[in-house]
Amino acid sequence: MAEILDGKVMSETLRAEIAEKVAGLKKKGVTPGLAVILAGDDPASEIYVRNKGKGCQEVGMHSETVRLPGNVSQAELEAEIDRLNADPGIHGILVQLPLPAHLDEESALARILPEKDVDGFHLLNAGRLMTGGAGVIPCTPRGAMYMIQQTGLDLSGLEAVVIGRSNIVGKPMAALLMRANCTVTVCHSRTRNLKDHCRRADILVAAVGKAGFVTGDMIKPGAVVIDVGINRVDGKVRGDVDFESASRVAGWITPVPGGVGKMTITMLLQNTLEAAERSLG
Ligand code: NAD
């Protein structure tokens, strides 16, 4: 049976370290601050935003939610971002996605100062990740990478397969694995012989958005299996990996819930802490 990579336990350890560093910054007169902009009233977004606020509170950070109506204009949204860019008490700004359909997501993200872009979605941070520079790393792939490192494996030269090529998960995940000297294959909806690719993987990351998509027969015995998926099925949250069959073959596996999802918010807190530290120079 696979060893569980427990996001809850890892998060608790990391959040305790973050809280200690926040307390240290407060002594220097800086309270790390995160602002979340929420446009409209998407129920899933409401939950995410609430959890982000709770996370901040837990580690002693300041947080605020800027609620905008669903029919807010692009200019009003960007004016709000400008205000937060100029606010010295705010070190991290996050625009909760998806935005209502009439708004231009790319242009809103580009408006955030790159040093306050704690989601790591600004083109400059995405570019830095690809070129190996020091930028903000998107929270979900950063959390997934941390979990992979907790296996203690020497990652250099390992075969890594990422299923999914989105800008927020698949692509940055592949870039991080490349940085760790893995040999990386990115699979997507047009990939042929997906199973063959997966079965070669020492590290398999599933970011597909389909419940139970990856089954035990697609996994190399002893592999590290990272399940990024969050799918709601009959009121329950399920991952992209069929845990039952996969955990019998894998060497390590992340559960859903209690895996990568938990780490995502922890990494958001880490990115906000680092942004506040940078603001001190
Ligand atoms: P997305 O829809 O943007 O991308 C899905 C990717 O899967 C695409 O690149 C697509 O090519 C690929 N895909 C679809 N069908 C496929 C198939 N049959 N074979 C191979 N590839 C296929 O989704 P996303 O934003 O990257 O999110 C993926 C999943 O991760 C979702 O379940 C999402 O809810 C979850 N997610 C979780 C967290 C977290 O905090 N744990 C954060 C972000 C996203």
Side-chain angles (χ1 to χ4, degrees):
M1 277 299 274
E3 196 176 311
I4 307 283
L5 294 168
D6 190 329
K8 199 162 171 276
V9 171
M10 290 179 198
S11 280
E12 273 165 17
T13 310
L14 281 171
R15 288 187 194 196
E17 285 169 22
I18 294 169
E20 217 169 283
K21 288 185 183 150
V22 169
L25 278 179
K26 280 181 170 170
K27 282 190 194 135
K28 293 182 190 161
V30 177
T31 301
L34 172 71
V36 179
I37 300 180
L38 177 60
D41 51 10
D42 177 58
S45 293
E46 284 281 353
I47 297 173
Y48 292 138
V49 168
R50 205 179 320 134
N51 287 340
K52 285 165 188 173
K54 268 196 223 156
C56 284
Q57 204 179 3
E58 200 185 308
V59 297
M61 286 183 185
H62 164 72
S63 79
E64 59 187 66
T65 305
V66 178
R67 287 174 188 278
L68 301 172
N71 63 356
V72 65
S73 72
Q74 187 76 23
E76 285 164 331
L77 170 65
E78 292 186 5
E80 211 48 60
I81 295 172
D82 290 347
R83 181 183 69 76
L84 295 165
N85 277 339
D87 183 343
I90 293 298
H91 304 93
I93 304 170
L94 182 158
V95 174
Q96 186 63 44
L97 303 178
L99 283 171
H102 68 282
L103 295 171
D104 180 348
E105 211 163 273
E106 204 176 310
S107 143
L109 295 178
R111 195 85 181 188
I112 301 172
L113 281 179
E115 58 269 30
K116 292 194 178 189
D117 164 44
V118 281
D119 251 342
F121 294 161
H122 191 287
L123 289 181
L124 198 68
N125 285 318
R128 283 174 178 152
L129 178 57
M130 286 312 292
T131 54
V136 182
I137 297 167
C139 307
T140 300
R142 187 173 183 183
M145 201 63 210
Y146 180 88
M147 297 180 102
I148 293 168
Q149 282 157 345
Q150 296 315 296
T151 62
L153 290 174
D154 177 7
L155 305 185
S156 181
L158 293 188
E159 293 280 341
V161 170
V162 180
I163 320 176
R165 57 174 163 184
S166 71
N167 289 337
I168 64 168
V169 190
K171 282 181 201 156
M173 189 71 232
L176 285 175
L177 288 162
M178 244 191 294
R179 260 197 197 184
N181 297 319
C182 294
T183 302
V184 183
T185 304
V186 179
C187 298
H188 46 78
S189 52
R190 306 289 175 91
T191 296
R192 292 179 193 161
N193 306 322
L194 180 72
K195 191 171 166 179
D196 293 346
H197 288 292
C198 293
R199 283 187 62 89
R200 276 193 293 106
D202 301 303
I203 299 166
L204 181 62
V205 181
V208 192
K210 291 185 174 150
F213 182 80
V214 174
T215 45
D217 59 328
M218 294 165 76
I219 293 169
K220 177 176 173 178
V224 183
V225 177
I226 305 292
D227 189 352
V228 180
I230 296 181
N231 310 289
R232 271 162 238 283
V233 183
D234 300 331
K236 282 196 183 142
V237 175
R238 288 194 58 203
D240 288 343
V241 176
D242 174 47
F243 188 87
E244 250 263 315
S245 61
S247 60
R248 273 189 254 125
V249 188
W252 291 266
I253 191 165
T254 65
V256 177
V260 179
K262 193 84 192 165
M263 293 295 288
T264 294
I265 295 186
T266 300
M267 288 305 167
L268 174 66
L269 301 174
Q270 179 71 30
N271 281 348
T272 306
L273 169 72
E274 287 170 10
E277 285 172 343
R278 276 196 306 273
S279 77
L280 280 176

